[in-house]
């Protein structure tokens, strides 16, 4: 891998050619090219070599090259993971646990790519759930360290990759690990910490057009987006109960647990592989409990954090338009619930309408 910045142009030119041709090289379609010429795919030995080395390459590559390698990783993972590439997630998590900045950044970038491959593919939801179970505990530990350190742009760039991964992992559904009652508090402790973390003292943009491009503001935009998505899609107990259908009133009597490992009986034994109906009932009950837990213990704190961030407008401080809008969107959603409206929002409506 070339790391000398003087050779980046050469590397990018060659790597861009690989990125452009990657789909037909890695997984050739059955059709032929014009003139009936067959599409020649990469030999299996070359594919194996790429699988063995691409994450390592992303850890040592300069940023411009890392982006191009990411496009190649996305194609290879989309075709081969997990069946033909079972070691990919383990390799990524090993780098996530490293104290070397390059390996940490490469691991986060790779994890973001892998999550993005699966974020809208419901038929491949299990690999995404496994990704969350294996990587999120490591990510949360890393983010705790970032929150404990003085704010910096470098740390914000790492936090942004982690937040983007979280965003990809909740698009289709909430993974079992995040449905587990013990996971909600630590997860949102990190989310709220990132939203409220002071901005780095040096380099703060004073221009509204430049502020959205700054990594610390990008982090706040992404975590505000996560908060709004969770409240809007997963935080309504009534909707969750309606989706449970028959047996909703007895949901609390169900003898199932939802943990990072998936759905189990209350005794800890896994459900039978063919017991799909019981799994579905258990997941619906867990989603109802998640929504109730979120409303009772988390939503009000998120609303207060959004209101606090909006105070920057009243103080004539920079607040990027997208962050501003997401905070208002959270308020718009939270106003539907009595516990957040009556106790928190109603006393501040006058100031909110007149100043924000």
């Amino acid at each position: 891998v070339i790391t000398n910045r003087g050779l980046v142009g050469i590397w990018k030119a060659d790597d861009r050619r690989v990125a452009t041709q990657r789909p037909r090289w890695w997984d050739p379609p059955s059709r032929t090219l014009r003139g009936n010429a067959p599409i020649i795919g990469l030999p299996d030995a070359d594919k194996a070599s790429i699988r063995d080395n691409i994450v390592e390459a992303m850890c040592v590559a300069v940023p411009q090259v890392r982006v191009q390698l990411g496009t190649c990783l996305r194609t290879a993972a989309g075709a081969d993971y997990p069946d033909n590439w079972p070691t990919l997630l383990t390799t990524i998590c090993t780098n996530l646990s490293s104290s070397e900045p390059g390996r940490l950044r490469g691991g986060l970038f790779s994890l973001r790519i892998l999550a993005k491959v699966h974020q809208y593919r419901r038929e491949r939801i299990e690999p995404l759930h496994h990704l969350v179970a294996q990587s999120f505990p490591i990510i949360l530990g890393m983010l705790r360290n970032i929150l404990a350190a003085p704010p910096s742009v470098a740390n914000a760039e790492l936090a942004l990759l982690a937040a983007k991964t979280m965003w990809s992992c909740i698009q289709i559904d909430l993974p079992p690990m995040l449905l587990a009652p013990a996971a909600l508090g630590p997860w949102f402790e990190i989310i709220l910490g990132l939203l409220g973390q002071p901005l780095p003292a040096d380099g703060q943009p004073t221009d509204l057009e430049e502020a959205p491009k700054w990594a610390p503001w990008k982090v706040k935009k992404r975590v505000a987006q996560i908060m709004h998505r969770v409240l809007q899609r997963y935080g309504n107990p009534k909707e969750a109960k309606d989706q449970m259908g028959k047996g909703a009133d007895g949901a609390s009597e169900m003898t199932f647990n939802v943990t990072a490992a998936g759905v189990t009986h209350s005794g800890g034994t896994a459900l039978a592989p063919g017991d799909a109906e019981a799994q579905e009932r258990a997941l619906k009950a867990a989603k109802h409990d998640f929504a109730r837990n979120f409303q009772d213990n988390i939503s009000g704190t998120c609303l207060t954090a959004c209101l606090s961030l909006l105070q920057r407008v009243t103080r004539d401080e920079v607040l990027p338009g997208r962050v501003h809008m997401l905070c208002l969107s959270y308020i718009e959603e939270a106003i539907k619930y009595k516990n957040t409206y009556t106790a928190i929002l109603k006393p501040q409506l006058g100031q909110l309408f007149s100043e924000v």
Side-chain angles (χ1 to χ4, degrees):
V1 174
I2 298 176
T3 57
N4 186 327
R5 292 183 180 273
L7 299 178
V8 165
I10 299 173
W11 177 268
K12 285 189 67 178
D14 184 64
D15 198 54
R16 188 178 292 114
R17 180 175 65 88
V18 174
T20 303
Q21 299 294 328
R22 69 190 187 278
R24 64 172 58 172
W25 285 359
W26 197 274
D27 191 17
S30 56
R31 62 178 176 81
T32 59
L33 296 172
R34 292 180 181 178
N36 293 323
I39 299 175
I40 306 299
L42 283 174
D44 289 342
D46 289 350
K47 288 184 180 180
S49 179
I50 291 172
R51 287 193 294 261
D52 289 343
N53 293 286
I54 192 167
V55 175
E56 175 70 17
M58 294 178 73
C59 292
V60 299
V62 294
Q64 300 98 316
V65 175
R66 187 183 298 118
V67 172
Q68 297 295 329
L69 288 171
T71 64
C72 298
L73 174 61
R74 185 171 182 176
T75 294
D80 288 2
Y81 179 80
D83 295 340
N84 297 323
W85 201 353
T87 60
L88 175 57
L89 183 59
T90 301
T91 302
I92 291 173
C93 288
T94 298
N95 285 290
L96 290 178
S97 302
S98 174
S99 59
E100 298 179 27
R103 295 200 170 279
L104 185 54
R105 186 180 299 276
L108 282 169
F109 197 92
S110 301
L111 186 69
R112 160 65 173 155
I113 296 294
L114 187 58
K116 200 169 183 178
V117 166
H118 296 87
Q119 69 178 358
Y120 296 120
R121 302 174 70 172
R122 187 171 291 277
E123 76 280 3
R124 297 181 65 177
I125 195 69
E126 288 304 320
L128 188 64
H129 289 175
H130 183 62
L131 179 151
V132 172
Q134 295 299 310
S135 66
F136 268 43
I138 304 173
I139 289 177
L140 293 182
M142 179 206 72
L143 291 174
R144 286 192 189 94
N145 292 336
I146 286 177
L147 288 171
S152 69
V153 172
N155 280 343
E157 290 172 349
L158 297 176
L160 179 60
L161 288 171
K164 285 181 176 181
T165 301
M166 292 180 182
W167 171 252
S168 292
C169 291
I170 63 171
Q171 291 306 296
I172 294 178
D173 211 346
L174 279 177
M177 176 185 176
L178 300 181
L179 284 173
L184 182 60
W187 182 30
F188 266 81
E189 177 187 352
I190 297 298
I191 294 293
L192 289 164
L194 292 171
L195 188 68
Q197 185 181 36
L199 297 168
D202 298 330
Q204 286 193 38
T206 57
D207 184 82
L208 272 176
E209 293 186 2
E210 293 300 319
K213 304 173 186 177
W214 198 43
W217 276 123
K218 287 183 178 182
V219 173
K220 295 185 186 301
K221 181 198 77 171
R222 187 63 68 168
V223 296
Q225 206 171 24
I226 291 171
M227 284 167 39
H228 179 253
R229 171 57 63 92
V230 171
L231 175 62
Q232 182 184 55
R233 187 164 182 176
Y234 309 115
N236 187 326
K238 184 178 184 304
E239 285 187 5
K241 187 173 182 179
D242 290 343
Q243 290 175 5
M244 288 168 63
K246 294 182 179 180
D249 292 336
S252 62
E253 300 176 3
M254 299 183 70
T255 56
F256 302 105
N257 291 328
V258 178
T259 67
V263 185
T264 63
H265 289 292
S266 57
T269 58
L271 293 174
D275 203 353
E277 184 178 346
Q279 277 201 340
E280 185 67 18
R281 292 201 314 272
L283 284 171
K284 287 181 177 179
K287 290 175 183 178
H288 174 265
D289 292 344
F290 175 92
R292 184 73 273 158
N293 189 11
F294 185 82
Q295 284 296 329
D296 290 345
N297 301 305
I298 304 294
S299 183
T301 309
C302 293
L303 176 58
T304 300
C306 288
L307 290 169
S308 176
L309 202 53
L310 288 173
Q311 291 300 311
R312 293 182 66 90
V313 177
T314 67
R315 298 192 298 265
D316 291 327
E317 297 174 350
V318 170
L319 182 66
R322 181 67 173 155
V323 179
H324 192 161
M325 188 207 74
L326 286 166
C327 288
L328 291 176
S329 296
Y330 192 94
I331 292 169
E332 181 183 15
E333 195 68 28
I335 205 170
K336 301 175 183 177
Y337 303 97
K338 183 178 179 180
N339 60 323
T340 46
Y341 173 71
T342 303
I344 301 173
L345 196 54
K346 187 176 180 180
Q348 303 188 53
L349 280 179
Q351 181 185 12
L352 190 65
F353 285 136
S354 63
E355 299 182 4
V356 176

